[in-house]
Amino acid sequence: MSFDPGTSRRTLLASAVTLAAALALPAAHAQQAPAAWPTKPLRIIVGFTAGSATDSIARVLAEHLRVKLGQPVTVENRPGANGVLGVTEVARARPTGTRCWPRTRAA
């Protein structure tokens, strides 16, 4: 198995574009009506180990959201089964709107 640096850059860029789009959508809706969300701290569940590209992007996103929303945002790593453990936790969580999962894409 060899390491292809181009793949990592493409994946990182795709993730960054996805996150930027996700941040732009709430801003468009916020102009229409004032939202009371979030009223509780937010949790970003990452299905990979700390220090991975997904984790790094999630931590940058968490800091941006903390400043923008005025609520604490924590990043929790749930590594294992190639990200399935993190996805499963978010899928089984009660729909309170306080947990999210950064989607990753293999190149």
Coordinates of all heavy atoms in Angstrom, one line a residue:
M1 N 0.9 -1.2 0.0 CA 0.0 0.0 0.0 C 0.9 1.2 0.0 O 1.8 1.4 0.8 CB -0.9 0.0 1.2 CG -1.8 1.1 1.3 SD -2.7 1.0 2.9 CE -4.3 1.3 2.3
S2 N 0.7 2.1 -0.9 CA 1.5 3.3 -1.0 C 0.7 4.6 -0.7 O -0.5 4.6 -0.8 CB 2.1 3.4 -2.4 OG 1.0 3.6 -3.4
F3 N 1.4 5.6 -0.3 CA 0.8 6.8 0.1 C 0.8 7.8 -1.1 O 1.8 8.0 -1.7 CB 1.5 7.5 1.3 CG 1.0 8.8 1.7 CD1 -0.2 8.9 2.3 CD2 1.7 10.0 1.4 CE1 -0.7 10.1 2.7 CE2 1.2 11.2 1.7 CZ 0.0 11.3 2.4
D4 N -0.4 8.3 -1.4 CA -0.5 9.2 -2.6 C -0.9 10.6 -2.0 O -2.1 10.8 -1.6 CB -1.6 8.7 -3.5 CG -1.8 9.6 -4.7 OD1 -0.9 10.5 -4.9 OD2 -2.7 9.4 -5.5
P5 N 0.0 11.5 -1.9 CA -0.3 12.8 -1.3 C -1.4 13.6 -2.1 O -2.1 14.3 -1.5 CB 1.1 13.6 -1.4 CG 2.1 12.7 -2.0 CD 1.4 11.4 -2.4
G6 N -1.5 13.3 -3.4 CA -2.6 14.0 -4.1 C -4.0 13.6 -3.6 O -4.9 14.4 -3.5
T7 N -4.1 12.4 -3.2 CA -5.4 11.9 -2.7 C -5.8 12.6 -1.4 O -6.9 13.1 -1.2 CB -5.4 10.4 -2.5 OG1 -5.1 9.8 -3.7 CG2 -6.7 9.9 -2.0
S8 N -4.8 12.8 -0.5 CA -5.1 13.4 0.7 C -5.5 14.9 0.5 O -6.4 15.4 1.2 CB -3.8 13.4 1.6 OG -3.6 12.0 2.0
R9 N -4.8 15.6 -0.4 CA -5.1 17.0 -0.6 C -6.5 17.1 -1.2 O -7.3 18.0 -0.9 CB -4.1 17.6 -1.6 CG -2.8 18.0 -0.9 CD -1.9 18.8 -1.8 NE -0.6 18.2 -1.6 CZ 0.1 17.6 -2.5 NH1 -0.4 17.5 -3.7 NH2 1.3 17.1 -2.3
R10 N -6.9 16.2 -2.2 CA -8.2 16.3 -2.8 C -9.3 16.0 -1.7 O -10.3 16.7 -1.7 CB -8.3 15.3 -3.9 CG -7.7 15.7 -5.2 CD -8.1 14.8 -6.3 NE -7.7 13.4 -6.1 CZ -6.5 12.9 -6.5 NH1 -5.7 13.6 -7.2 NH2 -6.3 11.6 -6.3
T11 N -9.0 15.1 -0.8 CA -10.0 14.7 0.2 C -10.1 15.9 1.1 O -11.3 16.3 1.5 CB -9.6 13.5 1.0 OG1 -9.4 12.4 0.0 CG2 -10.6 13.1 2.0
L12 N -9.0 16.5 1.5 CA -9.1 17.7 2.4 C -9.8 18.8 1.8 O -10.6 19.5 2.4 CB -7.6 18.1 2.8 CG -7.5 19.1 3.9 CD1 -8.1 18.7 5.2 CD2 -6.0 19.5 4.1
L13 N -9.5 19.1 0.5 CA -10.2 20.2 -0.2 C -11.7 19.9 -0.3 O -12.5 20.8 -0.1 CB -9.6 20.4 -1.6 CG -10.1 21.5 -2.4 CD1 -10.0 22.8 -1.7 CD2 -9.5 21.6 -3.8
A14 N -12.1 18.7 -0.6 CA -13.5 18.3 -0.7 C -14.2 18.5 0.6 O -15.3 19.0 0.7 CB -13.7 16.9 -1.2
S15 N -13.5 18.1 1.7 CA -14.1 18.3 3.0 C -14.3 19.8 3.3 O -15.3 20.2 3.9 CB -13.3 17.6 4.1 OG -13.2 16.2 3.8
A16 N -13.3 20.6 3.0 CA -13.3 22.0 3.3 C -14.5 22.7 2.5 O -15.2 23.5 3.1 CB -12.0 22.7 3.0
V17 N -14.6 22.3 1.3 CA -15.7 22.9 0.5 C -17.1 22.5 1.0 O -18.0 23.3 1.1 CB -15.6 22.4 -1.0 CG1 -16.8 22.8 -1.8 CG2 -14.3 23.1 -1.6
T18 N -17.2 21.2 1.4 CA -18.5 20.8 2.0 C -18.8 21.5 3.3 O -19.9 22.0 3.5 CB -18.4 19.3 2.3 OG1 -18.1 18.6 1.1 CG2 -19.7 18.8 2.9
L19 N -17.8 21.8 4.1 CA -18.0 22.5 5.4 C -18.3 24.0 5.1 O -19.2 24.5 5.8 CB -16.8 22.4 6.3 CG -16.5 21.0 6.9 CD1 -15.2 21.0 7.6 CD2 -17.6 20.6 7.8
A20 N -17.7 24.5 4.1 CA -18.0 25.9 3.8 C -19.4 26.1 3.3 O -20.2 27.0 3.7 CB -17.0 26.4 2.7
A21 N -19.9 25.1 2.5 CA -21.3 25.1 2.0 C -22.2 24.9 3.2 O -23.3 25.6 3.2 CB -21.5 24.1 1.0
A22 N -21.9 24.1 4.1 CA -22.8 23.8 5.3 C -22.9 25.1 6.1 O -23.9 25.4 6.7 CB -22.2 22.7 6.1
L23 N -21.8 25.9 6.2 CA -21.8 27.1 7.0 C -22.6 28.2 6.3 O -23.2 29.1 6.9 CB -20.4 27.6 7.3 CG -19.6 26.7 8.3 CD1 -18.2 27.2 8.4 CD2 -20.3 26.7 9.7
A24 N -22.6 28.2 5.0 CA -23.3 29.2 4.2 C -24.8 29.0 4.3 O -25.6 30.0 4.3 CB -22.8 29.2 2.8
L25 N -25.3 27.8 4.3 CA -26.7 27.6 4.3 C -27.5 28.1 5.5 O -28.5 28.8 5.4 CB -27.0 26.1 4.2 CG -26.7 25.5 2.8 CD1 -26.9 24.0 2.8 CD2 -27.5 26.1 1.7
P26 N -27.0 27.9 6.8 CA -27.7 28.5 7.9 C -27.7 30.0 7.9 O -28.6 30.6 8.3 CB -26.9 28.0 9.1 CG -26.2 26.8 8.7 CD -25.9 27.0 7.2
A27 N -26.7 30.6 7.3 CA -26.6 32.1 7.2 C -27.8 32.6 6.3 O -28.4 33.6 6.6 CB -25.3 32.5 6.7
A28 N -28.1 31.9 5.3 CA -29.2 32.3 4.4 C -30.5 32.1 5.1 O -31.4 33.0 4.9 CB -29.2 31.4 3.1
H29 N -30.7 31.1 5.9 CA -31.9 30.9 6.6 C -32.1 31.9 7.8 O -33.2 32.3 8.1 CB -32.1 29.5 7.1 CG -32.3 28.5 6.0 ND1 -33.4 28.4 5.3 CD2 -31.4 27.6 5.5 CE1 -33.3 27.5 4.4 NE2 -32.1 27.0 4.5
A30 N -31.0 32.3 8.4 CA -31.0 33.2 9.5 C -31.5 34.5 9.1 O -32.1 35.2 10.0 CB -29.6 33.3 10.1
Q31 N -31.4 34.9 7.9 CA -31.9 36.2 7.4 C -33.4 36.2 7.4 O -34.0 37.3 7.5 CB -31.3 36.6 6.1 CG -29.8 36.8 6.2 CD -29.2 37.0 4.8 OE1 -29.9 36.9 3.8 NE2 -27.9 37.3 4.8
Q32 N -34.0 35.1 7.1 CA -35.5 35.0 7.0 C -36.2 35.1 8.3 O -37.2 35.8 8.4 CB -35.8 33.7 6.3 CG -35.3 33.6 4.9 CD -35.6 32.2 4.3 OE1 -36.1 31.3 5.0 NE2 -35.2 32.1 3.0
A33 N -35.7 34.4 9.4 CA -36.3 34.4 10.6 C -35.3 34.2 11.7 O -34.4 33.4 11.6 CB -37.4 33.4 10.7
P34 N -35.4 34.9 12.9 CA -34.5 34.6 14.0 C -34.7 33.2 14.5 O -35.8 32.8 14.8 CB -34.8 35.7 15.0 CG -36.2 36.1 14.6 CD -36.4 35.9 13.2
A35 N -33.6 32.5 14.7 CA -33.7 31.1 15.2 C -33.2 31.1 16.6 O -32.3 31.8 17.0 CB -32.8 30.3 14.3
A36 N -33.9 30.2 17.4 CA -33.5 30.1 18.8 C -32.5 28.9 18.9 O -32.1 28.6 20.0 CB -34.8 29.7 19.6
W37 N -32.1 28.3 17.8 CA -31.2 27.2 17.8 C -29.7 27.8 17.8 O -29.5 28.8 17.1 CB -31.4 26.3 16.6 CG -30.5 25.2 16.6 CD1 -30.7 24.0 17.2 CD2 -29.2 25.0 15.9 NE1 -29.6 23.1 16.9 CE2 -28.7 23.8 16.1 CE3 -28.5 25.9 15.1 CZ2 -27.5 23.3 15.6 CZ3 -27.3 25.5 14.6 CH2 -26.8 24.2 14.9
P38 N -28.8 27.3 18.5 CA -28.9 26.2 19.5 C -29.1 26.7 20.9 O -28.6 27.8 21.2 CB -27.5 25.5 19.3 CG -26.6 26.6 19.0 CD -27.4 27.6 18.2
T39 N -29.7 25.9 21.7 CA -29.9 26.3 23.1 C -29.1 25.5 24.0 O -29.0 25.7 25.2 CB -31.4 26.1 23.5 OG1 -31.8 24.8 23.2 CG2 -32.3 27.1 22.7
K40 N -28.4 24.4 23.4 CA -27.5 23.6 24.2 C -26.2 23.5 23.5 O -26.1 23.8 22.3 CB -28.1 22.1 24.3 CG -29.5 22.1 25.0 CD -30.0 20.7 25.0 CE -31.3 20.6 25.6 NZ -31.8 19.2 25.6
P41 N -25.2 23.0 24.2 CA -23.9 22.8 23.6 C -24.0 21.8 22.4 O -24.7 20.9 22.5 CB -23.0 22.2 24.7 CG -23.6 22.7 26.0 CD -25.1 22.7 25.7
L42 N -23.2 22.0 21.4 CA -23.1 21.2 20.2 C -22.0 20.1 20.3 O -21.0 20.4 21.0 CB -22.9 22.0 19.0 CG -24.0 23.1 18.7 CD1 -23.6 23.9 17.5 CD2 -25.3 22.5 18.5
R43 N -22.2 19.0 19.7 CA -21.2 17.9 19.7 C -21.0 17.5 18.2 O -21.9 17.2 17.5 CB -21.7 16.7 20.5 CG -21.8 17.0 22.0 CD -22.4 15.9 22.7 NE -21.8 14.6 22.5 CZ -22.3 13.4 22.8 NH1 -23.5 13.4 23.3 NH2 -21.7 12.3 22.5
I44 N -19.7 17.5 17.8 CA -19.4 17.0 16.5 C -18.7 15.6 16.8 O -17.7 15.5 17.5 CB -18.4 17.9 15.8 CG1 -19.0 19.3 15.6 CG2 -17.9 17.3 14.5 CD1 -18.1 20.3 15.0
I45 N -19.3 14.6 16.2 CA -18.8 13.2 16.4 C -18.0 12.8 15.2 O -18.5 12.8 14.1 CB -20.0 12.2 16.6 CG1 -21.0 12.7 17.6 CG2 -19.4 10.8 16.9 CD1 -20.5 12.7 19.0
V46 N -16.7 12.6 15.4 CA -15.8 12.2 14.4 C -15.5 10.7 14.5 O -15.1 10.2 15.5 CB -14.4 13.0 14.5 CG1 -13.5 12.6 13.4 CG2 -14.7 14.5 14.4
G47 N -15.7 10.0 13.4 CA -15.5 8.5 13.4 C -14.1 8.1 13.2 O -13.8 6.9 12.9
F48 N -13.1 9.0 13.4 CA -11.7 8.6 13.2 C -10.9 9.1 14.4 O -11.4 9.9 15.2 CB -11.2 9.2 11.9 CG -12.0 8.8 10.7 CD1 -13.0 9.5 10.2 CD2 -11.7 7.5 10.1 CE1 -13.8 9.1 9.1 CE2 -12.5 7.1 9.0 CZ -13.5 7.9 8.5
T49 N -9.6 8.7 14.4 CA -8.8 9.0 15.5 C -8.4 10.5 15.6 O -8.5 11.2 14.5 CB -7.5 8.2 15.5 OG1 -6.8 8.5 14.2 CG2 -7.7 6.7 15.6
A50 N -8.0 11.0 16.7 CA -7.5 12.3 16.9 C -6.3 12.5 16.0 O -5.4 11.7 16.0 CB -7.2 12.6 18.3
G51 N -6.2 13.7 15.4 CA -5.0 13.9 14.5 C -5.3 13.6 13.1 O -4.4 14.0 12.2
S52 N -6.3 12.9 12.8 CA -6.6 12.6 11.4 C -7.1 13.9 10.6 O -7.4 14.9 11.3 CB -7.7 11.5 11.3 OG -8.9 12.0 11.8
A53 N -7.2 13.9 9.3 CA -7.6 15.0 8.6 C -9.0 15.4 8.9 O -9.4 16.6 9.1 CB -7.5 14.8 7.1
T54 N -9.9 14.4 9.1 CA -11.3 14.7 9.5 C -11.4 15.4 10.8 O -12.1 16.3 11.0 CB -12.1 13.4 9.5 OG1 -11.9 12.8 8.2 CG2 -13.6 13.7 9.7
D55 N -10.6 14.9 11.8 CA -10.5 15.5 13.1 C -10.0 16.9 13.1 O -10.6 17.8 13.7 CB -9.6 14.6 14.0 CG -9.5 15.2 15.4 OD1 -10.5 15.2 16.1 OD2 -8.4 15.6 15.7
S56 N -9.0 17.1 12.3 CA -8.5 18.5 12.2 C -9.5 19.5 11.7 O -9.6 20.6 12.2 CB -7.2 18.5 11.4 OG -6.2 17.7 11.9
I57 N -10.2 19.1 10.6 CA -11.2 20.0 10.0 C -12.3 20.2 11.0 O -12.9 21.3 11.1 CB -11.7 19.4 8.7 CG1 -10.5 19.5 7.7 CG2 -12.9 20.1 8.2 CD1 -10.8 18.8 6.4
A58 N -12.7 19.1 11.7 CA -13.8 19.2 12.7 C -13.5 20.2 13.8 O -14.3 21.0 14.2 CB -14.2 17.9 13.2
R59 N -12.2 20.2 14.2 CA -11.8 21.1 15.3 C -11.8 22.6 14.8 O -12.1 23.5 15.6 CB -10.4 20.7 15.8 CG -10.6 19.4 16.6 CD -9.3 18.9 17.2 NE -9.5 17.6 17.8 CZ -10.1 17.3 18.9 NH1 -10.6 18.2 19.7 NH2 -10.2 16.0 19.3
V60 N -11.4 22.8 13.6 CA -11.4 24.2 13.0 C -12.9 24.6 12.9 O -13.2 25.7 13.3 CB -10.7 24.2 11.7 CG1 -10.9 25.5 11.0 CG2 -9.2 24.0 11.8
L61 N -13.7 23.7 12.4 CA -15.1 24.0 12.3 C -15.8 24.3 13.7 O -16.6 25.2 13.8 CB -15.9 22.9 11.6 CG -17.4 23.0 11.6 CD1 -17.8 24.1 10.7 CD2 -18.0 21.7 11.1
A62 N -15.4 23.5 14.7 CA -15.9 23.7 16.0 C -15.6 25.1 16.6 O -16.5 25.7 17.2 CB -15.4 22.6 16.9
E63 N -14.4 25.5 16.4 CA -14.0 26.8 16.9 C -14.8 27.9 16.1 O -15.3 28.9 16.8 CB -12.5 27.0 16.7 CG -12.0 28.4 17.2 CD -12.3 28.6 18.6 OE1 -12.4 27.7 19.4 OE2 -12.4 29.8 19.0
H64 N -15.0 27.8 14.9 CA -15.7 28.8 14.1 C -17.2 28.8 14.6 O -17.8 29.9 14.7 CB -15.7 28.4 12.6 CG -16.4 29.4 11.7 ND1 -16.0 30.6 11.4 CD2 -17.6 29.2 11.1 CE1 -16.9 31.2 10.7 NE2 -17.9 30.4 10.5
L65 N -17.8 27.6 14.7 CA -19.2 27.6 15.2 C -19.3 28.1 16.6 O -20.3 28.8 16.9 CB -19.7 26.1 15.2 CG -19.9 25.5 13.8 CD1 -20.2 24.0 13.9 CD2 -21.0 26.3 13.1
R66 N -18.3 27.9 17.5 CA -18.4 28.4 18.8 C -18.5 29.9 18.8 O -19.3 30.5 19.5 CB -17.2 27.9 19.6 CG -17.2 28.4 21.1 CD -15.9 28.2 21.8 NE -14.8 29.0 21.2 CZ -14.6 30.3 21.5 NH1 -15.5 30.9 22.2 NH2 -13.6 30.9 20.9
V67 N -17.7 30.5 18.0 CA -17.6 32.0 17.9 C -18.9 32.5 17.3 O -19.6 33.4 17.8 CB -16.4 32.5 17.1 CG1 -16.5 33.9 16.8 CG2 -15.1 32.1 17.9
K68 N -19.4 31.8 16.2 CA -20.5 32.3 15.4 C -21.8 32.1 16.2 O -22.7 33.0 16.2 CB -20.6 31.5 14.1 CG -21.5 32.0 13.1 CD -20.9 33.1 12.3 CE -21.7 33.4 11.1 NZ -21.3 34.6 10.4
L69 N -22.0 31.0 16.9 CA -23.3 30.6 17.5 C -23.3 31.0 19.0 O -24.4 31.0 19.6 CB -23.5 29.1 17.4 CG -23.7 28.6 15.9 CD1 -23.8 27.1 15.9 CD2 -24.8 29.3 15.2
G70 N -22.1 31.2 19.6 CA -22.1 31.6 21.0 C -22.4 30.4 21.9 O -22.9 30.6 23.1
Q71 N -22.2 29.2 21.5 CA -22.4 28.0 22.3 C -21.2 27.1 22.3 O -20.4 27.1 21.3 CB -23.6 27.1 21.7 CG -25.0 27.6 21.9 CD -25.4 27.4 23.4 OE1 -24.9 26.6 24.1 NE2 -26.4 28.2 23.8
P72 N -20.9 26.4 23.3 CA -19.8 25.5 23.3 C -19.9 24.4 22.3 O -21.0 23.9 22.1 CB -19.7 24.9 24.7 CG -20.7 25.7 25.5 CD -21.6 26.4 24.6
V73 N -18.9 24.1 21.6 CA -18.9 23.0 20.6 C -17.7 22.1 20.9 O -16.6 22.5 21.0 CB -18.7 23.6 19.2 CG1 -18.8 22.4 18.1 CG2 -19.8 24.6 18.9
T74 N -18.0 20.8 21.1 CA -17.0 19.8 21.4 C -16.9 18.8 20.3 O -17.8 18.5 19.6 CB -17.3 19.0 22.7 OG1 -18.5 18.4 22.6 CG2 -17.3 20.0 23.9
V75 N -15.6 18.4 20.1 CA -15.4 17.3 19.1 C -15.1 16.1 19.8 O -14.2 16.0 20.7 CB -14.1 17.7 18.2 CG1 -13.8 16.6 17.2 CG2 -14.4 19.0 17.4
E76 N -15.8 15.0 19.5 CA -15.6 13.7 20.2 C -15.2 12.7 19.1 O -15.9 12.6 18.1 CB -16.9 13.3 20.8 CG -17.4 14.1 22.0 CD -18.6 13.6 22.6 OE1 -19.0 12.5 22.4 OE2 -19.2 14.5 23.3
N77 N -14.1 12.0 19.4 CA -13.6 11.0 18.5 C -14.2 9.6 18.9 O -14.1 9.2 20.0 CB -12.1 11.0 18.5 CG -11.5 12.3 18.0 OD1 -11.3 13.2 18.7 ND2 -11.3 12.3 16.7
R78 N -14.8 8.9 17.9 CA -15.3 7.6 18.1 C -14.7 6.7 17.0 O -15.4 6.3 16.0 CB -16.8 7.5 18.0 CG -17.5 8.4 19.0 CD -17.5 7.7 20.3 NE -18.3 8.4 21.2 CZ -17.9 8.9 22.4 NH1 -16.7 8.6 22.8 NH2 -18.8 9.5 23.2
P79 N -13.4 6.4 17.0 CA -12.7 5.7 16.0 C -13.1 4.2 16.0 O -13.5 3.7 17.0 CB -11.2 5.8 16.3 CG -11.2 6.0 17.7 CD -12.4 6.8 18.1
G80 N -13.1 3.6 14.8 CA -13.3 2.2 14.7 C -14.2 1.9 13.6 O -15.1 2.7 13.2
A81 N -14.0 0.7 13.0 CA -14.9 0.2 11.9 C -14.9 1.2 10.7 O -16.0 1.3 10.1 CB -16.2 -0.2 12.4
N82 N -13.8 1.8 10.5 CA -13.7 2.8 9.3 C -14.7 3.9 9.4 O -15.3 4.3 8.4 CB -13.8 2.0 8.0 CG -13.2 2.8 6.9 OD1 -12.3 3.7 7.1 ND2 -13.6 2.5 5.7
G83 N -15.0 4.4 10.6 CA -15.9 5.5 10.8 C -17.3 5.1 11.1 O -18.2 5.9 11.5
V84 N -17.7 3.8 11.1 CA -19.0 3.3 11.3 C -19.5 3.6 12.8 O -20.6 3.9 13.0 CB -19.2 1.8 10.9 CG1 -20.5 1.3 11.3 CG2 -18.9 1.7 9.4
L85 N -18.6 3.4 13.7 CA -19.0 3.6 15.1 C -19.5 5.1 15.4 O -20.4 5.3 16.1 CB -17.8 3.3 16.0 CG -17.3 1.9 16.0 CD1 -16.2 1.7 17.0 CD2 -18.5 0.9 16.4
G86 N -18.8 6.0 14.8 CA -19.2 7.4 14.9 C -20.6 7.7 14.2 O -21.4 8.3 14.8
V87 N -20.7 7.1 13.1 CA -22.0 7.3 12.3 C -23.1 6.7 13.1 O -24.2 7.2 13.2 CB -21.9 6.7 10.9 CG1 -23.2 6.7 10.2 CG2 -20.9 7.4 10.1
T88 N -22.9 5.5 13.7 CA -23.9 4.8 14.4 C -24.4 5.6 15.6 O -25.6 5.6 15.9 CB -23.4 3.4 14.8 OG1 -23.0 2.7 13.7 CG2 -24.4 2.6 15.6
E89 N -23.4 6.2 16.3 CA -23.8 7.0 17.5 C -24.7 8.2 17.1 O -25.7 8.4 17.8 CB -22.5 7.5 18.2 CG -22.9 8.3 19.4 CD -21.7 8.8 20.2 OE1 -20.7 8.2 20.2 OE2 -21.9 9.8 20.9
V90 N -24.3 8.8 16.0 CA -25.2 10.0 15.6 C -26.5 9.5 15.1 O -27.6 10.1 15.4 CB -24.4 10.8 14.5 CG1 -25.3 11.9 13.9 CG2 -23.2 11.4 15.0
A91 N -26.6 8.4 14.4 CA -27.8 7.9 13.9 C -28.8 7.4 15.0 O -30.0 7.6 14.9 CB -27.6 6.7 13.0
R92 N -28.2 6.9 16.1 CA -29.0 6.4 17.2 C -29.4 7.5 18.2 O -30.2 7.3 19.1 CB -28.3 5.3 17.9 CG -28.3 4.0 17.1 CD -27.6 2.9 17.8 NE -27.5 1.7 17.0 CZ -26.8 0.7 17.3 NH1 -26.1 0.6 18.4 NH2 -26.9 -0.4 16.5
A93 N -28.8 8.7 18.1 CA -29.0 9.7 19.1 C -30.4 10.3 18.9 O -31.0 10.3 17.8 CB -28.0 10.9 18.8
R94 N -30.9 10.8 20.0 CA -32.2 11.5 19.9 C -32.1 12.7 19.0 O -31.1 13.4 19.1 CB -32.7 11.9 21.3 CG -33.0 10.7 22.2 CD -33.4 11.0 23.6 NE -34.2 12.2 23.7 CZ -34.3 12.9 24.8 NH1 -33.5 12.7 25.8 NH2 -35.1 14.0 24.8
P95 N -33.1 13.0 18.3 CA -33.0 14.1 17.3 C -33.2 15.5 18.0 O -34.2 16.2 17.8 CB -34.2 13.9 16.3 CG -35.2 13.1 17.2 CD -34.4 12.3 18.1
T96 N -32.2 15.9 18.7 CA -32.2 17.2 19.4 C -31.6 18.3 18.6 O -31.7 19.5 19.0 CB -31.5 17.1 20.8 OG1 -30.1 16.7 20.6 CG2 -32.2 16.1 21.7
G97 N -30.8 17.9 17.6 CA -30.2 18.9 16.7 C -28.9 19.4 17.3 O -28.3 20.4 17.0
T98 N -28.3 18.7 18.3 CA -27.1 19.1 19.0 C -25.9 18.2 18.6 O -24.8 18.4 19.1 CB -27.2 19.1 20.5 OG1 -27.6 17.8 20.9 CG2 -28.3 20.1 20.9
R99 N -26.1 17.2 17.8 CA -25.0 16.3 17.3 C -24.9 16.4 15.8 O -25.9 16.4 15.1 CB -25.2 14.9 17.8 CG -25.0 14.7 19.2 CD -25.1 13.2 19.5 NE -25.0 13.0 20.9 CZ -25.9 12.3 21.7 NH1 -26.8 11.7 21.0 NH2 -25.8 12.3 22.9
C100 N -23.7 16.3 15.3 CA -23.5 16.2 13.9 C -22.3 15.4 13.6 O -21.5 15.1 14.4 CB -23.4 17.6 13.2 SG -21.9 18.5 13.6
W101 N -22.2 15.0 12.4 CA -21.2 14.1 11.9 C -20.6 14.7 10.6 O -21.3 14.8 9.7 CB -21.8 12.7 11.7 CG -20.9 11.8 10.9 CD1 -19.7 11.2 11.3 CD2 -21.1 11.3 9.6 NE1 -19.2 10.4 10.3 CE2 -20.1 10.4 9.3 CE3 -22.1 11.5 8.7 CZ2 -20.0 9.8 8.1 CZ3 -22.0 10.8 7.4 CH2 -21.0 10.0 7.2
P102 N -19.3 15.0 10.6 CA -18.7 15.5 9.4 C -18.5 14.3 8.4 O -17.8 13.4 8.6 CB -17.3 16.1 9.8 CG -17.0 15.3 11.1 CD -18.3 15.0 11.7
R103 N -19.2 14.4 7.3 CA -19.1 13.4 6.2 C -17.7 13.4 5.6 O -17.2 14.5 5.3 CB -20.2 13.6 5.2 CG -20.2 12.6 4.1 CD -21.2 13.0 3.0 NE -21.1 12.3 1.9 CZ -20.3 12.6 0.8 NH1 -19.6 13.7 0.9 NH2 -20.2 11.8 -0.2
T104 N -17.2 12.2 5.3 CA -15.9 12.2 4.6 C -16.1 11.4 3.3 O -17.1 10.7 3.1 CB -14.9 11.4 5.5 OG1 -15.4 10.1 5.8 CG2 -14.6 12.1 6.7
R105 N -15.2 11.6 2.4 CA -15.3 11.0 1.1 C -14.0 10.5 0.7 O -13.0 11.2 0.7 CB -15.8 12.1 0.1 CG -16.0 11.5 -1.3 CD -16.4 12.7 -2.2 NE -15.8 12.4 -3.5 CZ -14.9 13.1 -4.1 NH1 -14.5 14.2 -3.5 NH2 -14.4 12.7 -5.2
A106 N -14.0 9.2 0.4 CA -12.7 8.6 -0.1 C -12.6 9.0 -1.6 O -13.5 9.0 -2.4 CB -12.8 7.1 0.0
A107 N -11.3 9.3 -2.0 CA -11.1 9.7 -3.3 C -10.9 8.5 -4.3 O -10.7 7.4 -3.9 CB -9.8 10.5 -3.4

